[in-house]
Amino acid sequence: MSPCGLTFVDGAIAGAVAGGVVESVLYPIDTIKTRLQAVHGGGKIVLKGLYSGLYGNLAGVLPASALFVGVYEPVKKKLLETFPDNLSALAHLSAGAIAGAASSIVRVPTEVIKQRMQTGQFATAPNAVRMIISREGFRGLYAGYGSFLLRDLPFDAIQFCIYEQLRIGYKLAARRELNDPENAIIGAFAGAITGAVTTPLDVIKTRLMIQGSTKQYKGICDCVRTIMREEGSHVFLKGMGARVLWIGIGGSIFFGVLEKTKQVLSQGRLRIRNYDSPTENRIDRK
């Protein structure tokens, strides 16, 4: 089985491994980025507790990453079989967006809890869940859902499309399969470019998710107008450096680990198939 033919289960395993590794390694950078975007006016950034909320976040990141890649791989395979070769980029864009929408069911509550812990609103994930539900209802766990989709659907689609298209071009030029460092470098480039382009959307999403019951912003449009009026347009670029660094390194680690895990899973299935074949042949000869 080739990596592009992975099942939902294989993709889910690869996604969970890659997502867990990235989150564990780069969580402090994400915390700094969130605090940069959350602070108003001339407020100072607190650099304590950079791993605040990591374990609770992993409880959401693992299933979310598993669901994303588990959906992405078979959808990508189906779309590539359906679309002509010159529309492979559209297949990758569509698969990324579909997988992002599916995983948002888990990713949004995870993101809400994580960002409120990163900004010091809660000390533990269980406490955050209880307090959010008691104050805002179950809908509070999905605060900023629209802005999350506004950011993450194009982000997922663009990042995976850039990554897949670069790999296709590189493989055609090199006339061979890519090695682990090459996959990692392409992943870093795709992540950094996508992270920079979607920073304004990330700022909006962060503000809506951390506002809680104060309801400072009534929605996406009101958030944009209020920030423009009170703080200026430059705020939409807040945290870009940390975001590009975080997602660039994260893309390197994520795609590097993802491709390696997919390779291991494929080789494992191939060994199992080869192990079973002699037995099947002996039975056929009888």
Side-chain angles (χ1 to χ4, degrees):
M1 177 187 295
S2 64
C4 64
L6 291 178
T7 64
F8 173 85
V9 174
D10 289 335
I13 293 171
V17 172
V21 171
V22 170
E23 198 68 20
S24 300
V25 173
L26 300 180
Y27 195 80
I29 300 177
D30 182 34
T31 299
I32 293 173
K33 182 272 302 179
T34 297
R35 291 177 181 175
L36 281 169
Q37 293 176 343
V39 70
H40 292 261
K44 295 182 179 180
I45 307 300
V46 178
L47 296 179
K48 293 181 179 180
L50 296 183
Y51 273 98
S52 177
L54 172 62
Y55 296 119
N57 194 51
L58 283 175
V61 166
L62 295 180
S65 298
L67 184 58
F68 181 93
V69 182
V71 170
Y72 176 78
E73 287 293 335
V75 170
K76 177 186 74 173
K77 181 175 183 291
K78 184 66 176 178
L79 291 177
L80 287 174
E81 292 172 348
T82 304
F83 293 173
D85 291 343
N86 62 341
L87 292 180
S88 63
L90 180 58
H92 294 136
L93 278 169
S94 302
I98 291 170
S103 64
S104 69
I105 298 171
V106 179
R107 289 164 74 182
V108 173
T110 301
E111 190 82 354
V112 169
I113 293 167
K114 177 192 73 173
Q115 293 199 329
R116 296 198 189 181
M117 291 182 68
Q118 287 175 329
T119 52
Q121 295 183 36
F122 304 104
T124 65
N127 183 51
V129 173
R130 285 194 300 269
M131 295 303 293
I132 290 172
I133 293 177
S134 65
R135 295 174 182 174
E136 306 166 48
F138 186 76
R139 292 179 61 181
L141 293 174
Y142 285 87
Y145 186 75
S147 62
F148 181 90
L149 293 181
L150 179 67
R151 182 202 69 172
D152 273 50
L153 293 192
F155 177 89
D156 293 331
I158 294 170
Q159 183 183 33
F160 273 77
C161 180
I162 291 175
Y163 174 73
E164 297 278 16
Q165 291 298 304
L166 286 175
R167 287 189 79 242
I168 290 173
Y170 196 107
K171 286 167 69 175
L172 288 174
R175 297 183 180 181
R176 59 174 173 78
E177 290 297 323
L178 306 188
N179 56 40
D180 295 338
E182 289 168 336
N183 286 323
I185 291 171
I186 292 174
F189 183 80
I193 295 297
T194 312
V197 170
T198 58
T199 295
L201 301 177
D202 189 51
V203 172
I204 297 169
K205 187 252 344 166
T206 297
R207 290 292 183 91
L208 288 172
M209 280 188 167
I210 67 171
Q211 68 177 334
S213 57
T214 62
K215 297 299 179 184
Q216 180 182 2
Y217 310 111
K218 298 177 182 178
I220 296 173
C221 293
D222 182 59
C223 180
V224 173
R225 285 194 298 267
T226 302
I227 291 174
M228 288 285 290
R229 183 178 64 252
E230 297 180 356
E231 303 175 69
S233 59
H234 68 279
V235 171
F236 292 109
L237 300 181
K238 267 191 173 182
M240 178 182 285
R243 179 171 167 78
V244 169
L245 177 64
W246 166 51
I247 298 180
I249 298 174
S252 173
I253 298 172
F254 180 87
F255 286 110
V257 173
L258 181 68
E259 294 299 337
K260 188 64 177 180
T261 307
K262 287 161 60 175
Q263 180 185 0
V264 170
L265 290 171
S266 296
Q267 290 174 346
R269 287 188 177 276
L270 182 61
R271 282 195 296 269
I272 292 173
R273 201 159 56 235
N274 291 339
Y275 178 80
D276 290 339
S277 294
T279 303
E280 293 173 358
N281 292 336
R282 285 195 299 271
I283 293 174
D284 290 342
R285 286 196 294 271
K286 290 179 180 178

